Amino acid sequence: MNDIAPTISVLGAGRVGSVLARAAVEAGYEVNVAASGSPADLELIASIVMPGTKPMWAADAIAAADIVVLALPLHRFSTLDPALFAGKTVVDAMNYWEPIDGRQEFFERDGLSSSEIVQQHLAAATVVKTFNHLGYHQIEEDRRPSGAPGRRALGVAGDEPVAVDLVATLVDRIGFDPVILGSLHDGRAFQPGEPVFGNPLSRTELTALVGQPAAA
């Protein structure tokens, strides 16, 4: 791990975004947050529920980040300007779940997982899928130090090993055992309806369900 932690920018200040921003601050990261409004509109809620974060305009938060976390409402994703994300590592913490989100034509593409569609839209970025298969309350409550009994696991899926390792370190520092899948396509295992979704699992249990070898 580098001595200087990467800067995290979280897009979305709802329940998932707030939990992830707060957890990243507690893990020692510099964290920016952005929502649909202005930074001034976000300052009060950030000071209460995400202390230690810096509210910014979305474009500025993306530019300042080493890792951009997408935790915004799914219907807003297609409005993002892909050019802003060029060269960035992007964590897709969103889910396409039709009973909740309604039918989203943007995400209805045969044979592709939702994160692969995110990668297609952000073609010049590197997308890694994680924080998808546990609820915000589980991410808040189940964090544990490395090696602690009962530590939960989080899947991490992506096509670029350097980006996957960077995000896996974030997952570990926040308080979960990362279980790495070898491609973004494999990240469909984290989606709604799959056995791991919403199911708090240990590293051994998660690796067994997704068919990956357990880490030594």
Side-chain angles (χ1 to χ4, degrees), residues 134 137-144 151-152 175-176 200:
L134 291 181
H137 58 289
Q138 293 168 314
I139 295 173
E140 179 79 272
E141 297 167 4
D142 290 353
R143 291 183 282 140
R144 300 287 186 277
R151 199 183 202 216
R152 303 301 187 187
F176 296 88

Side-chain angles (χ1 to χ4, degrees), residues 23 57 98 103 108 128 140 146 157 159 176 178 186 195 205-206:
W57 290 104
E98 189 172 342
R103 185 176 177 85
E108 293 286 345
V128 179
E140 179 79 272
S146 181
D159 297 328
F176 296 88
D186 291 339
E205 292 167 334
L206 180 55

Side-chain angles (χ1 to χ4, degrees), residues 13-35:
R15 290 172 173 172
V16 173
S18 297
V19 166
L20 292 177
R22 186 164 57 250
V25 168
E26 292 173 4
Y29 290 91
E30 179 180 338
V31 181
N32 307 311
V33 292

Side-chain angles (χ1 to χ4, degrees), residues 101-181:
D101 301 304
R103 185 176 177 85
Q104 300 284 328
E105 293 297 336
F106 187 87
F107 284 93
E108 293 286 345
R109 305 185 195 181
D110 289 343
L112 293 179
S113 66
S114 60
S115 289
E116 289 175 290
I117 294 168
V118 170
Q119 178 66 86
Q120 281 190 346
H121 187 60
L122 306 182
T126 301
V127 174
V128 179
K129 185 182 187 77
T130 191
F131 301 119
N132 304 78
H133 61 83
L134 291 181
Y136 71 91
H137 58 289
Q138 293 168 314
I139 295 173
E140 179 79 272
E141 297 167 4
D142 290 353
R143 291 183 282 140
R144 300 287 186 277
S146 181
R151 199 183 202 216
R152 303 301 187 187
L154 273 170
V156 181
D159 297 328
E160 296 293 335
V162 172
V164 168
D165 287 347
L166 182 67
V167 175
T169 298
L170 169 64
V171 167
D172 181 53
R173 287 182 59 157
I174 280 178
F176 296 88
D177 286 333
V179 173
I180 294 174
L181 278 65

Side-chain angles (χ1 to χ4, degrees), residues 49 66 78 101 106 191 199:
V49 303
D66 300 298
S78 63
D101 301 304
F106 187 87
Q191 295 185 160
N199 191 6

Side-chain angles (χ1 to χ4, degrees), residues 28-47:
Y29 290 91
E30 179 180 338
V31 181
N32 307 311
V33 292
S36 56
S38 72
D41 293 336
L42 188 56
E43 281 180 359
L44 178 58
I45 189 170
S47 68

